[in-house]
Amino acid sequence: MAATSTRTGTVLRTSTKPSRSLEHHAPVHGVRWWRELGWRHVVAVVMVVVCVLPLLYVLSASFNPGGTLTGSNQLFRHVSAQNYQNLWGRYFGSWLLNSLLVCTVTAVGTVLMGAAAAYAFSRFRFRGRRGSLTFLLLVQMFPQMLAFVAIFLLLLSLSKVFPAIGVNSQLGLIAVYLGGALGVNTFLMYGFFNTVPRELDEAAKIDGATHAQIFWTIILRLVAPILAVVGLLSFVSSYGEFIIAKIVLQRPEKWTLAVGLYSWAADEKTAPWGLFAAGAVLAAIPVVLLFQFLQKYIVSGLTAGSVKG
Amino acid sequence: MSHQGTQVEIPDEAPPRTPSGRRTGVGDTSHARSWSRGFFVKLAVVAIADAVSVYGILTAVAVQSWGVAAFLLVALVAITWVYFSRRGLPAKYLLPGLLFLLVYQLFVMGYTAYVAFTNYGDGHNSTKSDAVAQILVQNEKRVEGSATYPLTVVDKAGTVGFAVVVDGKAEVGSASQPLTAVDGATVDGGKVTAVPGWQVLDFASIAGRQDEIVNLRVPFSSNPDDGSLRTQDAQNGYLYRSALTYDAAADTMTDTSTGTVYRPDSRGSFVSPDGTALTPGWRVAVGFSNFTQMFTDSRLSGPFTQILVWTFVFAGLSVLTTFALGLFLAITFNDPRVRGRRIYRSLLILPYAFPAFLSALVWRGMLNQRFGYVNEVLLGGANVPWLTDGTLAKVSVLMVNLWLGFPYMFLVCTGALQSIPTDIIESARMDGASPFRIFRSMTLPLLMISVAPLLISSFAFNFNNFSLIYMLTGGGPSFTGTPVLIGHTDILISMVYAVAFGSGLKQYGLASAVSILIFIVVGAISWWGFRRTRTLEEL
Amino acid sequence: MRRSIPLAAIAGVTLALAACSGSGSGSGSTASATASAKPTLSGTLTMWVDETRIDSMKPIVDEFQQQTGVKVDLVQKVSGDIRTDFVSQVPTGQGPDVIIGAHDWTGEFVNNGVVATVQLGDKAKDFSKSAVSAFAYNGQQYGVPYAIENIALVRNNKLLKDTTAKTFDDLVTQAKTANTPFSVLIQQGDKGDAYHLYPLQTSFGAPVFKQKDDGSYTNEIGMSGDAGTKFAAYLQKLGKEKVLDASIDGDKAKQAFLDGKAPYIVTGPWNTTAFTKAGMDISVLPVPSAGGQEAKPFVGVQGAFISAKSKNPLLAQEFVVNFLTTEKVQTELYKSGGRLPALTAAASKVDDKVLAGFNAAGSTGAPMPSIPEMGSVWSFWGTTEVQLINGQAADPAGAWTTMITNIQNAIATKK
């Protein structure tokens, strides 16, 4: 395969925009446009409709004070911003801030710790390496059925020593989330790290760089896309997590958004669906914005691929 | 082909394999051996970590949290050694994550394993001393027809007593001294306000001695059958008689009216000779009985095969469909010529941005047989039993899981695609390879390097995807007439839930035992999967 | 130089150690100091309440604080978890002093030893008898009631003016004259809803468990035999006539009634608030009998429990037994919570027509059983009923009998 033969001759391209021959093609038209690009738009439109349709119920409910979630298929019969106004009297603002804080710290921590571990697995050969990798994979498969009882007990005993990471502390919740930092994401990064040619490290070593310098200044930059992906995945998963969060955070002013929203939907008999839907719509915005922001890193220029020529 | 491709790509031979991280060479200069800026950063960080650990150890010892203290001590040594030793280079990168993993994940596993060997659950919720206290309190019954005694809490040299008015006369008593009439007491409105020799406690002092007061029983007379005076609010006293007495030395409960003796049994309850158990019981170790119950309980073993097959189908197809769709979309929008792809991508992750339980509720509504959007609007009034027919419900579950799960795979694949050199793809295209062949022989094998472990994790996740099943169908449509309520879409973990919790009683012990068994099954399969895909070989 | 670095580090650690040991022991001693000083400050009660009740409870605890000086720390819990959390956290010493909840939690709480007994004394007679006995278990009182709720028949007065039907069948016939898509809405859903069907079931003389004379439940199934199978056959009939439909879940039923698509709905006060808010003119009536006997809905009672491990038992009793039981408080709770007060004196002053209707409909009802055996019943019950309604179970008598057997087995395996 081409990759094998070219691997040894690697040179790090420093241009921020790698040559992407496709970009320099002249615009295509007609049948060829349909064959190469047009169908992609068709796929996009179909998928967007599929994605958005169920969410229209949520949007419709969010504008309907006192309505039901799926009680009627006539969407948008009542349109009023009342639910959105009502959100602000009910901790919604603090939940949003709490969530942003907890999830950002968790995401950054997960990326750093996961990347460090992936670096170790990818670049060092040590005894127990394969064993540890297998172990990491298997640990995540443990059914977390009793996690809520166990985590509570754990935090309770930690509370006595470090109240700052004990029960009812957001730092404690972050720590719990970071317990999963060496999870599946490490493997994603590990696989990606492996595609970064080792010759880069070797060259840097010869130039006198330490392993830490190689990690921080060379590898991390080259794997930016996967770091962004992992950061986003970690952010979203802690953003939507409420089972552990509601055990750790015992008071509404400390809750994250997921717990808060869950609390509105928990009693289906009396659930304030309108309020809940409005909250969910607003809650989705940071995720979409974050993705918008990270997209350029995920699909941007300085990729591992470009150094492989 | 794909194996070949993946193997070739891994630069597994590149660094010289030297024994256990003891590596030498120019490039291995560690910060620990040079006075660089990085070193000072490290020193500061490690010093803080150590200081926190030391503080923690001391506090933990002070509050007698020996487990925490021991762990911190190990962590302290590990941190200091790892970051100031020349050895264990990989450990420098692994330690932070591992510490968190050890504390928060392994504890959960260990705790679950521990619970699996106990009878923890409803009715056996706490310690034996709690249970004894509760049994006694619950069996302390008010003497029928007895009066309410407005009561005053009094104190004599640290001994708490009650003063009440009995038959118009003030009487005082304490735990050791039955109520006796006192002279010279002041009575106001049926309540004693002053007793010679005793000090009447005000509300603040009462609040400070709540336990003492609530637990005080003042014998009404020297005859124990008359019962004893007790208060719950420090204002009104009532006469109670205990239906049960506890003999701490013999560790038995005795019914005061019938004389029946209840002895503790091996299952954590006081049991009479005829088998009647007192509630609550307490937590005890029950050995392997939770594990054996799985095999002896016909409710569990009966539908097991059927559920197991569906669990595999569900988990396998969920991974396959979400990955296929996610990858397809990732490739579709990886072409930089597609205008508006940033917008498309953002809209495609919307299902991921909304809380899953909300989406599941919406889908449940949309798939409603008579009024759901799918039947009523999309299919023009069709009557398709999406969630009420066994087979269709399975299809629906898979479809909804696809909707919920493809954005994840889409994101992962979009990221992983960036590791694939565009140049070789392009050169293959130049050589006239068809897009499908490029995908099959180059893109997919290269992509699998990073995502293969993810697919296996995703399989394991879906194997235990309790929340989706629970929220969308609740396992339904239910089988008719089965002795435990399970249905066509139940997977292993939701069946465990139905058996361990569904009957209204929470049996944490049983649930833990089953989840451990499930873990062993999934773990073994995944491990086998890794071997098969050669992922582990390439690690 | 290389060697000096680990040394420096060790020096740093020992320094840190020394510093920390100082502060460590210092904090230890302050901790014990506050522990011993605690009694004088101990005027704080922790109280758990879920999101459906917190708004009405807030002013009450403020008032309690003003009156007694005891601070109440009101903690909002999620309604789906408050009960489980209470059971699992009380043994750890982390639970609250007081928990606000429903009477049917009593059995579980007692069985797990997490609630304290309360003594209402003479106050007991000021309450509706069934409300007090709802919180009793094995002859012992564990909670204090403050509000009562039950389901009833709700009529849309715009569609139908009056109800003369004596039987449920007549009611359906009359409802059809309104020419709406639905006649009498009773919510079901895929898993069934035995709660909303219970008035019909009791009209066949098939209560879920047999009751003792004092109103408490035995663990003997009451819905087996002829009465039960007759009801099962009736359900099948209603299913065939499309009066009952598994597709109509809570959401659909509420929305359909809101949209004027049905003259009647069987529902509770949690929904009527939405109806009146939407400007509907409604009346609340008892559910007519289907099987000849009186249709009795389940009655739910809300109240307060005290934790068995409360560190402030006196303060908790003061709030629960002496404060919550006053007419003023019960009236306030009625005004903010929209449920009928459990205290007779407060209930008699309620002039709200809708609530009075619910009260009348529930006057014959019995509290929902709180015995642990009830947990084994719900799921089998609902599922069998929904299978009868959607025709999945063809033989009503057989399905019903199987259900009884399964419930009895489930209860037996628990022992």
Side-chain angles (χ1 to χ4, degrees), chain B residues 228-246:
Chain B
S228 51
L229 196 65
R230 166 188 179 197
T231 185
Q232 287 177 323
D233 57 2
Q235 291 170 32
N236 289 306
Y238 300 96
L239 271 184
Y240 286 87
R241 255 197 304 257
S242 291
L244 283 173
T245 53
Y246 179 60

PDB file of all heavy atoms in Angstrom, chain B residues 228-246:
ATOM      1  N   SER B 228     -44.843   2.987  79.947  1.00  0.00           N
ATOM      2  CA  SER B 228     -43.981   4.099  80.329  1.00  0.00           C
ATOM      3  C   SER B 228     -44.324   5.349  79.521  1.00  0.00           C
ATOM      4  O   SER B 228     -44.904   5.273  78.440  1.00  0.00           O
ATOM      5  CB  SER B 228     -42.518   3.716  80.160  1.00  0.00           C
ATOM      6  OG  SER B 228     -42.310   3.201  78.879  1.00  0.00           O
ATOM      7  N   LEU B 229     -43.950   6.442  80.083  1.00  0.00           N
ATOM      8  CA  LEU B 229     -44.278   7.742  79.499  1.00  0.00           C
ATOM      9  C   LEU B 229     -43.178   8.136  78.517  1.00  0.00           C
ATOM     10  O   LEU B 229     -41.995   7.967  78.799  1.00  0.00           O
ATOM     11  CB  LEU B 229     -44.370   8.773  80.621  1.00  0.00           C
ATOM     12  CG  LEU B 229     -45.067  10.081  80.295  1.00  0.00           C
ATOM     13  CD1 LEU B 229     -46.537   9.840  80.001  1.00  0.00           C
ATOM     14  CD2 LEU B 229     -44.921  11.044  81.476  1.00  0.00           C
ATOM     15  N   ARG B 230     -43.591   8.681  77.413  1.00  0.00           N
ATOM     16  CA  ARG B 230     -42.645   9.002  76.360  1.00  0.00           C
ATOM     17  C   ARG B 230     -43.161  10.235  75.642  1.00  0.00           C
ATOM     18  O   ARG B 230     -44.367  10.461  75.572  1.00  0.00           O
ATOM     19  CB  ARG B 230     -42.604   7.797  75.431  1.00  0.00           C
ATOM     20  CG  ARG B 230     -41.965   8.030  74.159  1.00  0.00           C
ATOM     21  CD  ARG B 230     -42.136   6.859  73.225  1.00  0.00           C
ATOM     22  NE  ARG B 230     -41.457   7.293  72.031  1.00  0.00           N
ATOM     23  CZ  ARG B 230     -41.602   6.761  70.843  1.00  0.00           C
ATOM     24  NH1 ARG B 230     -42.371   5.738  70.673  1.00  0.00           N
ATOM     25  NH2 ARG B 230     -40.968   7.258  69.836  1.00  0.00           N
ATOM     26  N   THR B 231     -42.274  11.033  75.130  1.00  0.00           N
ATOM     27  CA  THR B 231     -42.730  12.185  74.370  1.00  0.00           C
ATOM     28  C   THR B 231     -41.975  12.272  73.056  1.00  0.00           C
ATOM     29  O   THR B 231     -40.846  11.801  72.933  1.00  0.00           O
ATOM     30  CB  THR B 231     -42.541  13.492  75.144  1.00  0.00           C
ATOM     31  OG1 THR B 231     -43.123  14.561  74.379  1.00  0.00           O
ATOM     32  CG2 THR B 231     -41.065  13.822  75.364  1.00  0.00           C
ATOM     33  N   GLN B 232     -42.642  12.866  72.056  1.00  0.00           N
ATOM     34  CA  GLN B 232     -41.969  13.047  70.773  1.00  0.00           C
ATOM     35  C   GLN B 232     -41.744  14.517  70.476  1.00  0.00           C
ATOM     36  O   GLN B 232     -40.948  14.864  69.628  1.00  0.00           O
ATOM     37  CB  GLN B 232     -42.798  12.411  69.654  1.00  0.00           C
ATOM     38  CG  GLN B 232     -42.727  10.888  69.723  1.00  0.00           C
ATOM     39  CD  GLN B 232     -43.600  10.232  68.686  1.00  0.00           C
ATOM     40  OE1 GLN B 232     -44.694  10.722  68.391  1.00  0.00           O
ATOM     41  NE2 GLN B 232     -43.139   9.136  68.138  1.00  0.00           N
ATOM     42  N   ASP B 233     -42.495  15.378  71.193  1.00  0.00           N
ATOM     43  CA  ASP B 233     -42.341  16.810  70.903  1.00  0.00           C
ATOM     44  C   ASP B 233     -41.999  17.624  72.151  1.00  0.00           C
ATOM     45  O   ASP B 233     -42.023  18.846  72.108  1.00  0.00           O
ATOM     46  CB  ASP B 233     -43.614  17.347  70.249  1.00  0.00           C
ATOM     47  CG  ASP B 233     -44.840  17.121  71.116  1.00  0.00           C
ATOM     48  OD1 ASP B 233     -44.679  16.583  72.236  1.00  0.00           O
ATOM     49  OD2 ASP B 233     -45.950  17.471  70.680  1.00  0.00           O
ATOM     50  N   ALA B 234     -41.706  16.956  73.260  1.00  0.00           N
ATOM     51  CA  ALA B 234     -41.344  17.607  74.521  1.00  0.00           C
ATOM     52  C   ALA B 234     -42.492  18.431  75.099  1.00  0.00           C
ATOM     53  O   ALA B 234     -42.295  19.270  75.960  1.00  0.00           O
ATOM     54  CB  ALA B 234     -40.093  18.476  74.370  1.00  0.00           C
ATOM     55  N   GLN B 235     -43.698  18.210  74.578  1.00  0.00           N
ATOM     56  CA  GLN B 235     -44.847  18.951  75.084  1.00  0.00           C
ATOM     57  C   GLN B 235     -45.949  18.037  75.578  1.00  0.00           C
ATOM     58  O   GLN B 235     -46.598  18.309  76.574  1.00  0.00           O
ATOM     59  CB  GLN B 235     -45.401  19.867  73.992  1.00  0.00           C
ATOM     60  CG  GLN B 235     -44.453  21.004  73.668  1.00  0.00           C
ATOM     61  CD  GLN B 235     -44.905  21.744  72.443  1.00  0.00           C
ATOM     62  OE1 GLN B 235     -46.096  21.846  72.177  1.00  0.00           O
ATOM     63  NE2 GLN B 235     -43.955  22.264  71.698  1.00  0.00           N
ATOM     64  N   ASN B 236     -46.157  16.949  74.838  1.00  0.00           N
ATOM     65  CA  ASN B 236     -47.189  16.014  75.225  1.00  0.00           C
ATOM     66  C   ASN B 236     -46.569  14.651  75.460  1.00  0.00           C
ATOM     67  O   ASN B 236     -45.744  14.199  74.665  1.00  0.00           O
ATOM     68  CB  ASN B 236     -48.251  15.895  74.130  1.00  0.00           C
ATOM     69  CG  ASN B 236     -49.088  17.151  74.053  1.00  0.00           C
ATOM     70  OD1 ASN B 236     -49.650  17.594  75.049  1.00  0.00           O
ATOM     71  ND2 ASN B 236     -49.140  17.744  72.872  1.00  0.00           N
ATOM     72  N   GLY B 237     -46.973  14.032  76.554  1.00  0.00           N
ATOM     73  CA  GLY B 237     -46.488  12.689  76.825  1.00  0.00           C
ATOM     74  C   GLY B 237     -47.612  11.682  76.627  1.00  0.00           C
ATOM     75  O   GLY B 237     -48.793  12.006  76.799  1.00  0.00           O
ATOM     76  N   TYR B 238     -47.252  10.494  76.190  1.00  0.00           N
ATOM     77  CA  TYR B 238     -48.237   9.433  76.010  1.00  0.00           C
ATOM     78  C   TYR B 238     -47.695   8.175  76.652  1.00  0.00           C
ATOM     79  O   TYR B 238     -46.488   7.984  76.764  1.00  0.00           O
ATOM     80  CB  TYR B 238     -48.505   9.185  74.528  1.00  0.00           C
ATOM     81  CG  TYR B 238     -49.039  10.385  73.799  1.00  0.00           C
ATOM     82  CD1 TYR B 238     -48.178  11.215  73.087  1.00  0.00           C
ATOM     83  CD2 TYR B 238     -50.396  10.700  73.825  1.00  0.00           C
ATOM     84  CE1 TYR B 238     -48.654  12.327  72.419  1.00  0.00           C
ATOM     85  CE2 TYR B 238     -50.883  11.810  73.160  1.00  0.00           C
ATOM     86  CZ  TYR B 238     -50.013  12.624  72.456  1.00  0.00           C
ATOM     87  OH  TYR B 238     -50.491  13.721  71.800  1.00  0.00           O
ATOM     88  N   LEU B 239     -48.608   7.315  77.056  1.00  0.00           N
ATOM     89  CA  LEU B 239     -48.205   6.057  77.661  1.00  0.00           C
ATOM     90  C   LEU B 239     -48.004   5.000  76.586  1.00  0.00           C
ATOM     91  O   LEU B 239     -48.880   4.806  75.738  1.00  0.00           O
ATOM     92  CB  LEU B 239     -49.279   5.578  78.638  1.00  0.00           C
ATOM     93  CG  LEU B 239     -49.154   6.065  80.072  1.00  0.00           C
ATOM     94  CD1 LEU B 239     -50.235   5.402  80.908  1.00  0.00           C
ATOM     95  CD2 LEU B 239     -47.778   5.756  80.619  1.00  0.00           C
ATOM     96  N   TYR B 240     -46.881   4.339  76.650  1.00  0.00           N
ATOM     97  CA  TYR B 240     -46.596   3.301  75.658  1.00  0.00           C
ATOM     98  C   TYR B 240     -46.264   2.005  76.357  1.00  0.00           C
ATOM     99  O   TYR B 240     -45.730   1.988  77.466  1.00  0.00           O
ATOM    100  CB  TYR B 240     -45.394   3.699  74.798  1.00  0.00           C
ATOM    101  CG  TYR B 240     -45.694   4.766  73.792  1.00  0.00           C
ATOM    102  CD1 TYR B 240     -45.602   6.111  74.109  1.00  0.00           C
ATOM    103  CD2 TYR B 240     -46.048   4.413  72.493  1.00  0.00           C
ATOM    104  CE1 TYR B 240     -45.868   7.088  73.176  1.00  0.00           C
ATOM    105  CE2 TYR B 240     -46.304   5.385  71.544  1.00  0.00           C
ATOM    106  CZ  TYR B 240     -46.221   6.723  71.891  1.00  0.00           C
ATOM    107  OH  TYR B 240     -46.472   7.673  70.955  1.00  0.00           O
ATOM    108  N   ARG B 241     -46.562   0.927  75.648  1.00  0.00           N
ATOM    109  CA  ARG B 241     -46.090  -0.383  76.092  1.00  0.00           C
ATOM    110  C   ARG B 241     -45.360  -1.026  74.927  1.00  0.00           C
ATOM    111  O   ARG B 241     -45.803  -0.927  73.785  1.00  0.00           O
ATOM    112  CB  ARG B 241     -47.262  -1.252  76.523  1.00  0.00           C
ATOM    113  CG  ARG B 241     -47.376  -1.386  78.038  1.00  0.00           C
ATOM    114  CD  ARG B 241     -48.262  -2.550  78.435  1.00  0.00           C
ATOM    115  NE  ARG B 241     -49.596  -2.465  77.862  1.00  0.00           N
ATOM    116  CZ  ARG B 241     -50.678  -2.074  78.562  1.00  0.00           C
ATOM    117  NH1 ARG B 241     -50.573  -1.740  79.826  1.00  0.00           N
ATOM    118  NH2 ARG B 241     -51.843  -2.052  78.011  1.00  0.00           N
ATOM    119  N   SER B 242     -44.253  -1.664  75.230  1.00  0.00           N
ATOM    120  CA  SER B 242     -43.506  -2.334  74.166  1.00  0.00           C
ATOM    121  C   SER B 242     -44.087  -3.705  73.914  1.00  0.00           C
ATOM    122  O   SER B 242     -44.279  -4.486  74.842  1.00  0.00           O
ATOM    123  CB  SER B 242     -42.040  -2.476  74.564  1.00  0.00           C
ATOM    124  OG  SER B 242     -41.446  -1.207  74.578  1.00  0.00           O
ATOM    125  N   ALA B 243     -44.348  -3.995  72.649  1.00  0.00           N
ATOM    126  CA  ALA B 243     -44.824  -5.323  72.307  1.00  0.00           C
ATOM    127  C   ALA B 243     -43.651  -6.288  72.173  1.00  0.00           C
ATOM    128  O   ALA B 243     -43.822  -7.491  72.174  1.00  0.00           O
ATOM    129  CB  ALA B 243     -45.615  -5.273  71.001  1.00  0.00           C
ATOM    130  N   LEU B 244     -42.476  -5.733  72.024  1.00  0.00           N
ATOM    131  CA  LEU B 244     -41.286  -6.568  71.861  1.00  0.00           C
ATOM    132  C   LEU B 244     -40.179  -6.045  72.772  1.00  0.00           C
ATOM    133  O   LEU B 244     -40.052  -4.840  72.969  1.00  0.00           O
ATOM    134  CB  LEU B 244     -40.770  -6.489  70.423  1.00  0.00           C
ATOM    135  CG  LEU B 244     -41.501  -7.272  69.336  1.00  0.00           C
ATOM    136  CD1 LEU B 244     -40.929  -6.926  67.985  1.00  0.00           C
ATOM    137  CD2 LEU B 244     -41.417  -8.768  69.579  1.00  0.00           C
ATOM    138  N   THR B 245     -39.395  -6.958  73.311  1.00  0.00           N
ATOM    139  CA  THR B 245     -38.207  -6.516  74.043  1.00  0.00           C
ATOM    140  C   THR B 245     -36.994  -7.174  73.423  1.00  0.00           C
ATOM    141  O   THR B 245     -37.067  -8.290  72.899  1.00  0.00           O
ATOM    142  CB  THR B 245     -38.269  -6.911  75.527  1.00  0.00           C
ATOM    143  OG1 THR B 245     -38.519  -8.312  75.600  1.00  0.00           O
ATOM    144  CG2 THR B 245     -39.343  -6.147  76.264  1.00  0.00           C
ATOM    145  N   TYR B 246     -35.894  -6.454  73.458  1.00  0.00           N
ATOM    146  CA  TYR B 246     -34.673  -6.962  72.877  1.00  0.00           C
ATOM    147  C   TYR B 246     -33.706  -7.347  73.986  1.00  0.00           C
ATOM    148  O   TYR B 246     -33.449  -6.563  74.896  1.00  0.00           O
ATOM    149  CB  TYR B 246     -34.042  -5.901  71.988  1.00  0.00           C
ATOM    150  CG  TYR B 246     -32.739  -6.339  71.353  1.00  0.00           C
ATOM    151  CD1 TYR B 246     -32.704  -7.455  70.507  1.00  0.00           C
ATOM    152  CD2 TYR B 246     -31.551  -5.648  71.588  1.00  0.00           C
ATOM    153  CE1 TYR B 246     -31.518  -7.859  69.923  1.00  0.00           C
ATOM    154  CE2 TYR B 246     -30.366  -6.044  71.000  1.00  0.00           C
ATOM    155  CZ  TYR B 246     -30.356  -7.164  70.166  1.00  0.00           C
ATOM    156  OH  TYR B 246     -29.186  -7.563  69.590  1.00  0.00           O
TER     157      TYR B 246
END
